[in-house]
mmCIF file of all heavy atoms in Angstrom:
data_model
loop_
_atom_site.group_PDB
_atom_site.id
_atom_site.type_symbol
_atom_site.label_atom_id
_atom_site.label_comp_id
_atom_site.label_asym_id
_atom_site.label_seq_id
_atom_site.Cartn_x
_atom_site.Cartn_y
_atom_site.Cartn_z
ATOM 1 N N LEU A 281 126.708 95.228 122.273
ATOM 2 C CA LEU A 281 127.883 94.782 123.022
ATOM 3 C C LEU A 281 129.099 94.557 122.132
ATOM 4 O O LEU A 281 130.241 94.791 122.563
ATOM 5 C CB LEU A 281 127.550 93.503 123.798
ATOM 6 C CG LEU A 281 128.515 93.145 124.929
ATOM 7 C CD1 LEU A 281 128.588 94.265 125.953
ATOM 8 C CD2 LEU A 281 128.082 91.846 125.601
ATOM 9 N N LEU A 282 128.905 94.136 120.886
ATOM 10 C CA LEU A 282 130.040 93.912 119.993
ATOM 11 C C LEU A 282 130.777 95.223 119.731
ATOM 12 O O LEU A 282 132.007 95.288 119.852
ATOM 13 C CB LEU A 282 129.572 93.284 118.682
ATOM 14 C CG LEU A 282 130.671 93.082 117.618
ATOM 15 C CD1 LEU A 282 131.780 92.186 118.146
ATOM 16 C CD2 LEU A 282 130.085 92.497 116.323
ATOM 17 N N PHE A 283 130.041 96.262 119.393
ATOM 18 C CA PHE A 283 130.702 97.552 119.158
ATOM 19 C C PHE A 283 131.344 98.087 120.431
ATOM 20 O O PHE A 283 132.474 98.578 120.406
ATOM 21 C CB PHE A 283 129.698 98.573 118.628
ATOM 22 C CG PHE A 283 130.273 99.962 118.512
ATOM 23 C CD1 PHE A 283 131.086 100.302 117.446
ATOM 24 C CD2 PHE A 283 130.019 100.921 119.490
ATOM 25 C CE1 PHE A 283 131.638 101.579 117.350
ATOM 26 C CE2 PHE A 283 130.564 102.193 119.396
ATOM 27 C CZ PHE A 283 131.378 102.517 118.328
ATOM 28 N N ILE A 284 130.626 97.980 121.560
ATOM 29 C CA ILE A 284 131.176 98.489 122.819
ATOM 30 C C ILE A 284 132.451 97.744 123.184
ATOM 31 O O ILE A 284 133.424 98.339 123.652
ATOM 32 C CB ILE A 284 130.125 98.383 123.935
ATOM 33 C CG1 ILE A 284 128.931 99.296 123.630
ATOM 34 C CG2 ILE A 284 130.729 98.749 125.285
ATOM 35 C CD1 ILE A 284 127.781 99.162 124.618
ATOM 36 N N GLY A 285 132.468 96.424 122.964
ATOM 37 C CA GLY A 285 133.671 95.652 123.240
ATOM 38 C C GLY A 285 134.823 96.056 122.336
ATOM 39 O O GLY A 285 135.957 96.254 122.797
ATOM 40 N N CYS A 286 134.552 96.205 121.047
ATOM 41 C CA CYS A 286 135.594 96.626 120.109
ATOM 42 C C CYS A 286 136.113 98.016 120.456
ATOM 43 O O CYS A 286 137.301 98.315 120.274
ATOM 44 C CB CYS A 286 135.058 96.622 118.677
ATOM 45 S SG CYS A 286 134.792 94.968 117.986
ATOM 46 N N TYR A 287 135.244 98.852 120.980
ATOM 47 C CA TYR A 287 135.621 100.236 121.289
ATOM 48 C C TYR A 287 136.659 100.316 122.407
ATOM 49 O O TYR A 287 137.397 101.295 122.500
ATOM 50 C CB TYR A 287 134.362 101.024 121.665
ATOM 51 C CG TYR A 287 134.576 102.499 121.769
ATOM 52 C CD1 TYR A 287 134.755 103.272 120.631
ATOM 53 C CD2 TYR A 287 134.608 103.143 123.002
ATOM 54 C CE1 TYR A 287 134.954 104.642 120.720
ATOM 55 C CE2 TYR A 287 134.804 104.505 123.105
ATOM 56 C CZ TYR A 287 134.985 105.249 121.954
ATOM 57 O OH TYR A 287 135.190 106.594 122.043
ATOM 58 N N GLN A 288 136.698 99.279 123.255
ATOM 59 C CA GLN A 288 137.693 99.292 124.331
ATOM 60 C C GLN A 288 139.122 99.206 123.791
ATOM 61 O O GLN A 288 140.065 99.711 124.424
ATOM 62 C CB GLN A 288 137.457 98.118 125.297
ATOM 63 C CG GLN A 288 136.038 97.955 125.788
ATOM 64 C CD GLN A 288 135.465 99.211 126.389
ATOM 65 O OE1 GLN A 288 136.008 99.752 127.351
ATOM 66 N NE2 GLN A 288 134.335 99.669 125.847
ATOM 67 N N ILE A 289 139.307 98.577 122.651
ATOM 68 C CA ILE A 289 140.662 98.328 122.144
ATOM 69 C C ILE A 289 141.378 99.614 121.765
ATOM 70 O O ILE A 289 142.505 99.857 122.212
ATOM 71 C CB ILE A 289 140.607 97.307 120.988
ATOM 72 C CG1 ILE A 289 140.059 95.971 121.527
ATOM 73 C CG2 ILE A 289 141.987 97.109 120.366
ATOM 74 C CD1 ILE A 289 139.833 94.916 120.482
ATOM 75 N N PRO A 290 140.799 100.496 120.939
ATOM 76 C CA PRO A 290 141.501 101.760 120.675
ATOM 77 C C PRO A 290 141.669 102.618 121.921
ATOM 78 O O PRO A 290 142.645 103.375 122.019
ATOM 79 C CB PRO A 290 140.610 102.456 119.628
ATOM 80 C CG PRO A 290 139.276 101.804 119.723
ATOM 81 C CD PRO A 290 139.569 100.391 120.117
ATOM 82 N N MET A 291 140.761 102.509 122.888
ATOM 83 C CA MET A 291 140.937 103.269 124.123
ATOM 84 C C MET A 291 142.222 102.859 124.825
ATOM 85 O O MET A 291 143.011 103.704 125.262
ATOM 86 C CB MET A 291 139.742 103.069 125.063
ATOM 87 C CG MET A 291 138.484 103.789 124.617
ATOM 88 S SD MET A 291 137.288 104.080 125.957
ATOM 89 C CE MET A 291 137.015 102.438 126.575
ATOM 90 N N TYR A 292 142.459 101.563 124.921
ATOM 91 C CA TYR A 292 143.651 101.092 125.624
ATOM 92 C C TYR A 292 144.928 101.301 124.821
ATOM 93 O O TYR A 292 146.017 101.335 125.378
ATOM 94 C CB TYR A 292 143.507 99.608 125.980
ATOM 95 C CG TYR A 292 142.375 99.326 126.928
ATOM 96 C CD1 TYR A 292 141.653 98.145 126.872
ATOM 97 C CD2 TYR A 292 141.998 100.262 127.890
ATOM 98 C CE1 TYR A 292 140.597 97.890 127.734
ATOM 99 C CE2 TYR A 292 140.953 100.029 128.749
ATOM 100 C CZ TYR A 292 140.261 98.842 128.674
ATOM 101 O OH TYR A 292 139.216 98.605 129.528
ATOM 102 N N LEU A 293 144.780 101.448 123.511
ATOM 103 C CA LEU A 293 145.954 101.681 122.666
ATOM 104 C C LEU A 293 146.285 103.160 122.508
ATOM 105 O O LEU A 293 147.322 103.489 121.927
ATOM 106 C CB LEU A 293 145.732 101.061 121.280
ATOM 107 C CG LEU A 293 145.670 99.531 121.234
ATOM 108 C CD1 LEU A 293 145.421 99.061 119.800
ATOM 109 C CD2 LEU A 293 146.941 98.911 121.783
ATOM 110 N N THR A 294 145.432 104.035 123.023
ATOM 111 C CA THR A 294 145.668 105.477 122.883
ATOM 112 C C THR A 294 147.048 105.914 123.372
ATOM 113 O O THR A 294 147.759 106.621 122.648
ATOM 114 C CB THR A 294 144.564 106.277 123.604
ATOM 115 O OG1 THR A 294 143.337 106.142 122.877
ATOM 116 C CG2 THR A 294 144.918 107.760 123.681
ATOM 117 N N PRO A 295 147.495 105.528 124.576
ATOM 118 C CA PRO A 295 148.815 105.990 125.022
ATOM 119 C C PRO A 295 149.948 105.511 124.132
ATOM 120 O O PRO A 295 150.964 106.194 123.986
ATOM 121 C CB PRO A 295 148.940 105.397 126.436
ATOM 122 C CG PRO A 295 147.540 105.157 126.871
ATOM 123 C CD PRO A 295 146.794 104.767 125.626
ATOM 124 N N LEU A 296 149.794 104.336 123.532
ATOM 125 C CA LEU A 296 150.862 103.774 122.701
ATOM 126 C C LEU A 296 150.890 104.379 121.307
ATOM 127 O O LEU A 296 151.966 104.621 120.744
ATOM 128 C CB LEU A 296 150.689 102.247 122.589
ATOM 129 C CG LEU A 296 150.869 101.439 123.873
ATOM 130 C CD1 LEU A 296 150.529 99.980 123.613
ATOM 131 C CD2 LEU A 296 152.283 101.577 124.410
ATOM 132 N N LEU A 297 149.724 104.645 120.735
ATOM 133 C CA LEU A 297 149.656 105.024 119.323
ATOM 134 C C LEU A 297 149.447 106.514 119.070
ATOM 135 O O LEU A 297 149.841 107.004 118.009
ATOM 136 C CB LEU A 297 148.531 104.238 118.632
ATOM 137 C CG LEU A 297 148.655 102.708 118.650
ATOM 138 C CD1 LEU A 297 147.503 102.071 117.885
ATOM 139 C CD2 LEU A 297 149.986 102.255 118.066
ATOM 140 N N LEU A 298 148.832 107.219 120.019
ATOM 141 C CA LEU A 298 148.446 108.599 119.727
ATOM 142 C C LEU A 298 149.157 109.637 120.592
ATOM 143 O O LEU A 298 148.877 110.834 120.434
ATOM 144 C CB LEU A 298 146.929 108.770 119.897
ATOM 145 C CG LEU A 298 146.027 108.122 118.846
ATOM 146 C CD1 LEU A 298 144.597 108.582 119.044
ATOM 147 C CD2 LEU A 298 146.485 108.431 117.435
ATOM 148 N N GLY A 299 150.043 109.216 121.474
ATOM 149 C CA GLY A 299 150.681 110.173 122.363
ATOM 150 C C GLY A 299 151.363 111.316 121.644
ATOM 151 O O GLY A 299 151.117 112.504 121.912
ATOM 152 N N ARG A 300 152.197 111.017 120.677
ATOM 153 C CA ARG A 300 152.938 112.045 119.948
ATOM 154 C C ARG A 300 151.998 112.906 119.110
ATOM 155 O O ARG A 300 152.172 114.119 119.013
ATOM 156 C CB ARG A 300 153.989 111.396 119.057
ATOM 157 C CG ARG A 300 154.868 112.395 118.309
ATOM 158 C CD ARG A 300 155.971 111.694 117.558
ATOM 159 N NE ARG A 300 156.857 110.964 118.463
ATOM 160 C CZ ARG A 300 157.895 110.246 118.036
ATOM 161 N NH1 ARG A 300 158.147 110.134 116.736
ATOM 162 N NH2 ARG A 300 158.672 109.640 118.915
#
Side-chain angles (χ1 to χ4, degrees):
L281 197 59
L282 176 59
F283 173 79
I284 295 175
C286 288
Y287 190 73
Q288 311 307 301
I289 298 175
M291 287 201 304
Y292 297 147
L293 292 179
T294 290
L296 294 174
L297 300 182
L298 289 189
R300 183 174 298 179

